[in-house]
Amino acid sequence: MAAAAALEAVAPTGALWGLVQDFVMGQQEGPADQVAADVKSGSYTVLQVVEALGSSLENPEPRTRARGIQLLSQVLLQCHSLLLEKEVVHLILFYENRLKDHHLVIPSVLQGLRALSLCVSLPPGLAVSVLKAIFQEVHVQSLPQVDRHTVYSIITNFMRTREEELKGLGADFTFGFIQVMDGEKDPRNLLVAFHIVHDLISRDYSLGPFVEELFEVTSCYFPIDFTPPPNDPHGIQREDLILSLRAVLASTPRFAEFLLPLLIEKVDSEILSAKLDSLQTLNACCSVYGQKELKDFLPSLWASVRREVFQTASERVEAEGLAALHSLTACLSRSVLRADAEDLLDSFLSNILQDCRHHLCEPDMKLVWPSAKLLQAAAGASARACDHITSNVLPLLLEQFHKHSQSNQRRTILEMILGFLKLQQKWSCEDKDERPLSGFKDQLCSLVFMALTDPNTQLQLVGIRTLTVLGAQPGLLSSGDLELAVGHLYRLSFLEEESQSCRVAALEASGTLATLYPLAFSSHLVPKLAEELCLGESDLARGDGPTKHSQHLCCLQALSAVSTHPSLVKETLPLLLQHLCQMNKGNMAAGPNEVIAVCQSLQQVAEKCQLDPESCWYFHQTAIPCLLALAVQASMPGKEHSVLRKVLLEDEVLAAMVSVIGTATTHLSPDLAAQSVTRIVPLFLDGNISFLPENSFPCRFQPFQDGSSGQRRLVALLMAFVCSLPRNVEIPQLNQLMRELLELSCCDSCPFSSTAAAKCFAGLLNKHPAGQQLDEFLQLAVDKVEAGLGSGPCRTQAFTLLLWVTKALLLRYHPLSSCLTDRLMGLLSDPELGPAAADGFSLLMSDCTDVLTRAGHAEVRIMFRQRFFTDNVPALVQGFHAAPQDVKPNYLKGLSHVLNRLPKPVLLPELPTAVRIAALQCMHALTRLPTPVLLPYKPQVIRALAKPLDDKKRLVRKEAVSARGEWFLLGSPGS
């Protein structure tokens, strides 16, 4: 052959000749990889391989020729990057010629051409030459799947690297590919073919007169009904094919005249999957279509969508139908109109209104919601559509609200109105000269206020939501409307317990609207709340009953709810603090619940202030000194103590104050936090009270220096502050502070104080940067723990310190955490501390609320639980088996705490097969219990037992089948 002769070079070596013979005649596979490796290493050239194959390539037996070409192709697949341009030219000519050979040879020829299609040295024109040869000589669909896939790969490679050359073929390339793809059935090949068609369209290849043919060759697969076989190794899912085909069908408006009738036909079919796929495809098409493509099909499309929403029993079909209507309207909205063109959007919306509006007026209200959903789907597509539909529908709905007298019917109508108002809110950001709602403002306000005064709770709830949306419309509500609205919200905020949902909704609405209208709430709500608070103080002083207490609580909640604007915070915060101070005057019968309620309101205000740096700092520098002053005053010894002073030092009250201080500190900027820390830490270490209001106390504040138990308890407040600071804030006198905390943590006079000190010490350890100082603190802590755990009165305190230090180090993956965990594990056998040590594992694995939190800037590694599980569960299990009988419960309890806090996906793979079998046998055995007891759990158990049916272990699957079968039969006749 001329092409083969042109490739001749130096004569092949004997070793190469032997490898070729072993592959071609000996039918061995290994020599192909060996030859390729030798070519890569430079032992032979590709030309020498061709020369060695000479007799095989010209052999009259097709199988021998195929075997020879297969060897060459396999070498080229591994060595194509080594080829020179001249070599590529001759190889292409050779392979093109062999496309005319016997059908047994074709698969190997295609593999060779795939290798050459990857060559960077492919000269211009050869890609077109190869594809022409394939289109002309190969009947692709008669080939096996793998060889068809090879053809698609060749085309894909050339489209990626030789796009301009292929486009030079014009529509011939498109027609050639249509012939290649026509009749393809294998899902693996279809994925590639769909991708090629999408590229043909999206990269602007010429389709010429073959648009319909290209559509037909792809749309014949619509809708996809492929179901992957069990254990399919290729992993192709039905959804993959659906999305790939949809990308093709929705890629060009040129398919519209063929595709839209097909979609309408499938939507109108009885097959659920076809309806869904068609509606989703229509949705996708609307992003590339314009009025021109949709014009002739709009009536039919609307009829199909309307029918599905009105009549379907499937929520998914309804949702997709509404989404398609939304997309259709959006498509018509964005199309640019010529001056003489028909406004298709206007006529389309008029048809929708004509078919839906009369349902809004039907007495039985049967199709009210489907009609409203259709109208809202269209209205949500554009500002034009929203204005058109809202201006037509709102008068009708307002009229219907007054026609119906039942609260349930009114609620339904108001919910529909609310839906349209939300859509208006969505488009209100657009600059529009006219606002459709302005003409209905008075009627809407009147209707909302009627709803707010209706005795029906559900109608009130919708009224509150509607008021919130109305208020969000810029410039809609007048000052008079706002005064009335605030008055209604005030009233609703004090509803009785049975109307809890309305009260909560009113508080939420107050917060939202106060952000927009701070002046209205400052003028009409805050004064009323201040007055109510004063009345509450009088009631508390008289010791009035639970009703007054409930109103007091409502007032506090309302004050915190409206603290959503900086100007309002400056009014509400002083009121709350003043109220707390009034309690401290001794004139009120304030118990822990009243003080905690104030602290909870303060915390909610602090949370709202976190969004605004200015408000955050205002709250911090106003509230924290006041709270600290009250607490310090309460801790002072004295003959005349108000009731509140004793209350302020109770555990739950201090915990509430801790939450306020922590919340007010976490969002401080480092600069402002640094200012605050230079005042608060010296307060506790040196008794510097200069920054506190009303700071004339009868004696010094020295919580660490032989202070009273009351003063020591306030270390909890120090903990709340320093453990919530950003990590980069330097704490003054840190060395002294850590030593004082360590000392107090093992003091046996007050468990609350020692625990607070231990938590504070742990919180600071967690944030402290690695280095010598941290090592010194850790050594001090270990020494203190070991000394305390010996015999003595402070064993419990030392154990608490060990627990918190272990947690602090565990969260940051410090190496010492494993040693401390081992020490904790050793205490499981301790007669006195064993049960507490078991419960300690719950603390290690759970999230805290006051210290060592991510919100408080602690260093918390994301996988600390999984790491703790891996490192320590084997030791716990081993300890359980080795422990005496009376100690085993401690190990079991500790292990259960670890497992209980671990994410299920992490835990399940760790359970051994014996465990899974035993669990299934237990489920089987449970079926012997009385049937009435088990029946409520039957559906849940059957669903849960479905998963082990696919377990990788046969014995597990066997037990699952047996157990699930018994549960299926549970309650059936004769069982």
Side-chain angles (χ1 to χ4, degrees):
M1 286 175 51
L7 293 170
E8 289 184 9
V10 294
T13 65
L16 175 57
W17 186 272
L19 289 170
V20 168
Q21 291 303 306
D22 288 343
F23 184 90
V24 176
M25 298 302 181
Q27 299 293 308
Q28 299 177 26
E29 301 300 327
D33 289 332
Q34 183 61 53
V35 172
D38 291 344
V39 171
K40 288 181 183 177
S41 66
S43 300
Y44 322 126
T45 65
V46 172
L47 299 183
Q48 286 177 309
V49 175
V50 174
E51 174 62 19
L53 283 168
S55 60
S56 300
L57 300 178
E58 297 177 350
N59 194 292
E61 172 57 41
R63 297 183 187 277
T64 304
R65 294 199 304 277
R67 193 70 178 164
I69 295 174
Q70 182 183 351
L71 174 60
L72 178 60
S73 296
Q74 289 185 357
V75 170
L76 291 178
L77 281 169
Q78 298 186 52
C79 305
H80 59 81
S81 61
L82 305 176
L83 294 174
L84 301 175
E85 183 176 306
K86 183 178 179 182
E87 295 170 331
V88 174
V89 172
H90 290 300
L91 284 167
I92 289 283
L93 290 174
F94 167 71
Y95 274 105
E96 284 183 358
N97 186 275
R98 287 306 172 101
L99 284 173
K100 303 173 183 177
D101 206 332
H102 193 276
H103 68 87
L104 292 174
V105 178
I106 300 302
S108 299
V109 175
L110 292 173
Q111 286 295 339
L113 288 173
R114 181 165 75 89
L116 294 170
S117 71
L118 297 169
C119 287
V120 293
S121 56
L122 187 75
L126 288 189
V128 170
S129 175
V130 168
L131 291 180
K132 280 185 173 180
I134 291 175
F135 293 160
Q136 183 174 343
E137 302 295 343
V138 182
H139 183 242
V140 175
Q141 286 306 314
S142 66
L143 298 174
Q145 178 272 328
V146 67
D147 300 322
R148 303 198 305 275
H149 195 277
T150 301
V151 174
Y152 295 127
S153 298
I154 294 169
I155 296 172
T156 300
N157 292 339
F158 282 146
M159 289 180 73
R160 186 175 63 249
T161 60
R162 297 290 190 271
E163 181 174 316
E164 292 307 316
E165 291 182 38
L166 301 191
K167 285 182 176 178
L169 273 172
D172 289 345
F173 176 57
T174 301
F175 180 69
F177 176 74
I178 290 171
Q179 290 181 306
V180 166
M181 181 185 173
D182 193 11
E184 182 60 67
K185 290 183 175 62
D186 191 273
R188 293 163 289 180
N189 291 348
L190 283 173
L191 277 179
V192 185
F194 291 156
H195 183 73
I196 292 172
V197 178
H198 184 267
D199 283 351
L200 277 173
I201 296 168
S202 62
R203 295 183 182 177
D204 203 26
Y205 282 78
S206 173
L207 306 185
F210 305 115
V211 173
E212 185 173 2
E213 286 78 2
L214 188 61
F215 172 78
E216 292 294 341
V217 83
T218 51
S219 65
C220 62
Y221 302 100
F222 183 86
I224 297 287
D225 60 357
F226 167 71
T227 302
N231 304 317
D232 180 21
H234 308 293
I236 295 176
Q237 299 298 316
R238 178 172 176 268
E239 192 67 16
D240 300 329
L241 290 166
I242 288 174
L243 294 177
S244 296
L245 177 55
R246 185 176 300 153
V248 170
L249 297 177
S251 61
T252 174
R254 299 174 70 181
F255 282 169
E257 61 177 304
F258 315 114
L259 177 60
L260 290 176
L262 176 63
L263 295 181
I264 293 168
E265 175 192 336
K266 299 302 181 184
V267 170
D268 295 346
S269 71
E270 298 300 319
I271 303 171
L272 179 65
S273 60
K275 290 177 182 288
L276 289 170
D277 199 352
S278 300
L279 290 168
Q280 290 166 350
T281 303
L282 175 59
N283 198 339
C285 289
C286 288
S287 61
V288 296
Y289 287 4
Q291 291 198 6
K292 173 186 171 185
E293 288 74 29
L294 294 175
K295 180 178 180 181
D296 294 338
F297 302 96
L298 283 175
S300 299
L301 288 169
W302 161 237
S304 296
V305 169
R306 180 190 62 210
R307 182 173 54 255
E308 293 308 317
V309 175
F310 276 162
Q311 299 178 5
T312 186
S314 166
E315 291 184 4
R316 289 183 62 199
V317 172
E318 179 190 90
E320 294 299 339
L322 295 172
L325 179 60
H326 178 96
S327 297
L328 282 168
T329 311
C331 177
L332 296 175
S333 300
R334 66 175 172 263
S335 299
V336 179
L337 295 174
R338 299 192 315 272
D340 59 342
E342 177 189 359
D343 187 352
L344 289 182
L345 175 64
D346 188 69
S347 57
F348 184 62
L349 295 177
S350 297
N351 286 337
I352 296 175
L353 284 164
Q354 180 181 343
D355 290 346
C356 291
R357 61 179 294 151
H358 65 277
H359 293 303
L360 303 179
C361 306
E362 292 173 351
D364 59 2
M365 303 182 74
K366 182 180 179 182
L367 291 176
V368 160
W369 269 120
S371 300
K373 288 177 181 178
L374 287 165
L375 289 166
Q376 289 171 6
S382 70
R384 277 182 67 204
C386 189
D387 290 352
H388 185 113
I389 290 178
T390 302
S391 59
N392 280 274
V393 170
L394 264 186
L396 195 62
L397 292 176
L398 291 168
E399 179 186 344
Q400 290 300 306
F401 183 89
H402 293 290
K403 276 188 175 180
H404 292 278
S405 56
Q406 294 183 16
S407 296
N408 287 337
Q409 294 173 325
R410 286 188 161 188
R411 185 197 70 193
T412 299
I413 295 168
L414 187 55
E415 281 182 339
M416 287 188 287
I417 292 174
L418 176 60
F420 288 105
L421 294 180
K422 285 181 177 179
L423 293 175
Q424 277 292 333
Q425 184 181 2
K426 172 184 175 182
W427 298 109
S428 64
C429 57
E430 292 197 359
D431 293 328
K432 296 189 288 186
D433 296 331
E434 296 182 8
R435 299 195 177 277
L437 292 185
S438 57
F440 304 107
K441 189 265 293 182
D442 291 339
Q443 293 172 271
L444 286 169
C445 287
S446 171
L447 181 146
V448 168
F449 296 150
M450 286 177 65
L452 295 179
T453 54
D454 193 276
N456 184 282
T457 300
Q458 296 304 315
L459 181 53
Q460 286 182 350
L461 282 171
V462 182
I464 293 169
R465 288 159 51 206
T466 308
L467 175 61
T468 307
V469 175
L470 273 180
Q473 302 283 341
L476 185 65
L477 298 183
S478 66
S479 57
D481 298 328
L482 288 170
E483 183 176 354
L484 283 171
V486 171
H488 282 296
L489 291 174
Y490 171 78
R491 176 181 54 80
L492 292 168
S493 299
F494 285 84
L495 290 174
E496 298 297 328
E497 283 297 319
E498 55 267 20
S499 301
Q500 175 78 359
S501 57
C502 268
R503 189 160 64 84
V504 171
L507 291 173
E508 185 178 340
S510 297
T512 302
L513 294 175
T515 308
L516 303 171
Y517 307 102
L519 185 59
F521 281 82
S522 174
S523 303
H524 306 300
L525 183 68
V526 175
K528 289 182 180 179
L529 293 175
E531 183 180 348
E532 187 69 37
L533 210 55
C534 290
L535 291 173
E537 291 168 4
S538 303
D539 295 334
L540 286 173
R542 292 193 302 269
D544 285 350
T547 302
K548 296 297 183 182
H549 171 72
S550 175
Q551 289 185 340
H552 174 244
L553 186 63
C554 291
C555 184
L556 295 174
Q557 291 173 342
L559 280 170
S560 61
V562 299
S563 302
T564 52
H565 191 277
S567 65
L568 286 169
V569 172
K570 291 179 181 177
E571 296 184 42
T572 58
L573 180 57
L575 282 174
L576 290 169
L577 294 175
Q578 182 185 358
H579 181 58
L580 197 57
C581 293
Q582 286 295 113
M583 289 181 174
N584 197 37
K585 296 286 174 65
N587 300 322
M588 300 161 60
N593 291 339
E594 283 75 20
V595 181
I596 290 171
V598 178
C599 289
Q600 287 173 341
S601 291
L602 286 170
Q603 184 192 357
Q604 290 164 10
V605 176
E607 287 175 353
K608 292 177 171 64
C609 289
Q610 289 176 346
L611 303 175
D612 178 61
E614 180 186 342
S615 297
C616 188
W617 178 235
Y618 170 76
F619 184 96
H620 186 86
Q621 66 179 349
T622 305
I624 305 306
C626 180
L627 292 176
L628 290 174
L630 287 172
V632 170
Q633 181 71 48
S635 71
M636 292 292 168
K639 293 180 181 179
E640 295 182 1
H641 260 191
S642 72
V643 176
L644 180 68
R645 290 187 182 183
K646 194 177 290 184
V647 166
L648 282 174
L649 298 178
E650 292 189 14
D651 292 2
E652 61 267 29
V653 174
L654 284 173
M657 295 175 73
V658 163
S659 297
V660 177
I661 294 173
T663 305
T665 305
T666 54
H667 281 62
L668 284 182
S669 68
D671 292 341
L672 296 176
Q675 289 183 40
S676 195
V677 78
T678 57
R679 297 185 296 177
I680 293 178
V681 171
L683 167 67
F684 283 85
L685 290 180
D686 307 325
N688 185 348
I689 59 175
S690 59
F691 77 100
L692 297 181
E694 301 182 13
N695 54 15
S696 59
F697 303 121
C699 63
R700 291 196 67 189
F701 179 61
Q702 296 178 307
F704 291 117
Q705 285 82 33
D706 298 323
S708 66
S709 63
Q711 290 192 6
R712 289 181 176 182
R713 295 174 72 81
L714 301 193
V715 171
L717 305 184
L718 172 66
M719 172 203 75
F721 173 70
V722 296
C723 292
S724 301
L725 292 169
R727 285 186 222 172
N728 56 352
V729 173
E730 184 177 348
I731 297 175
Q733 302 170 266
L734 179 62
N735 190 54
Q736 179 189 350
L737 176 61
M738 295 295 275
R739 290 173 184 272
E740 297 284 11
L741 289 169
L742 202 55
E743 194 64 34
L744 180 57
S745 69
C746 287
C747 178
D748 65 339
S749 62
C750 176
F752 181 87
S753 304
S754 60
T755 300
K759 291 164 72 173
C760 188
F761 182 85
L764 293 172
L765 270 186
N766 173 269
K767 295 182 185 179
H768 199 287
Q772 182 180 351
Q773 190 177 38
L774 176 63
D775 295 338
E776 291 174 0
F777 291 152
L778 288 173
Q779 190 59 53
L780 287 171
V782 171
D783 294 344
K784 195 73 172 176
V785 166
E786 292 302 334
L789 285 176
S791 59
C794 299
R795 293 196 77 213
T796 301
Q797 288 77 11
F799 165 74
T800 303
L801 177 62
L802 168 65
L803 200 57
W804 282 102
V805 171
T806 303
K807 183 173 181 66
L809 301 182
L810 166 68
L811 294 179
R812 64 181 282 178
Y813 287 0
H814 192 281
L816 185 60
S817 65
S818 58
C819 300
L820 297 181
T821 304
D822 292 340
R823 184 72 177 94
L824 178 64
M825 216 174 291
L827 291 174
L828 290 170
S829 303
D830 188 281
E832 179 187 357
L833 298 175
D839 286 330
F841 284 92
S842 174
L843 175 67
L844 294 182
M845 295 292 284
S846 59
D847 292 324
C848 300
T849 57
D850 47 4
V851 292
L852 299 174
T853 65
R854 287 189 176 91
H857 311 287
E859 184 175 354
V860 182
R861 298 295 185 91
I862 193 170
M863 302 285 282
F864 80 90
R865 291 185 181 87
Q866 288 86 328
R867 180 170 177 170
F868 186 86
F869 171 83
T870 304
D871 292 346
N872 296 290
V873 163
L876 277 171
V877 173
Q878 186 178 354
F880 169 79
H881 290 300
Q885 199 63 35
D886 60 333
V887 176
K888 283 183 185 291
N890 294 341
Y891 280 94
L892 195 59
K893 194 174 184 183
L895 181 62
S896 69
H897 282 313
V898 175
L899 299 181
N900 190 42
R901 299 288 180 176
L902 203 68
K904 262 190 179 179
V906 177
L907 178 60
L908 291 177
E910 301 293 335
L911 293 177
T913 306
V915 176
R916 298 200 298 277
I917 290 175
L920 289 166
Q921 289 171 340
C922 288
M923 294 306 301
H924 191 164
L926 284 174
T927 58
R928 301 191 186 101
L929 293 174
T931 300
V933 176
L934 297 177
L935 280 177
Y937 303 99
K938 180 178 177 180
Q940 178 185 350
V941 172
I942 289 174
R943 284 196 301 271
L945 290 175
K947 192 166 186 179
L949 294 176
D950 295 325
D951 196 279
K952 58 185 177 182
K953 297 293 184 180
R954 183 183 62 82
L955 292 176
V956 175
R957 296 196 301 271
K958 179 182 176 184
E959 291 294 342
V961 169
S962 177
R964 198 164 188 253
E966 287 298 319
W967 276 89
F968 260 120
L969 294 173
L970 196 70
S972 59
S975 63

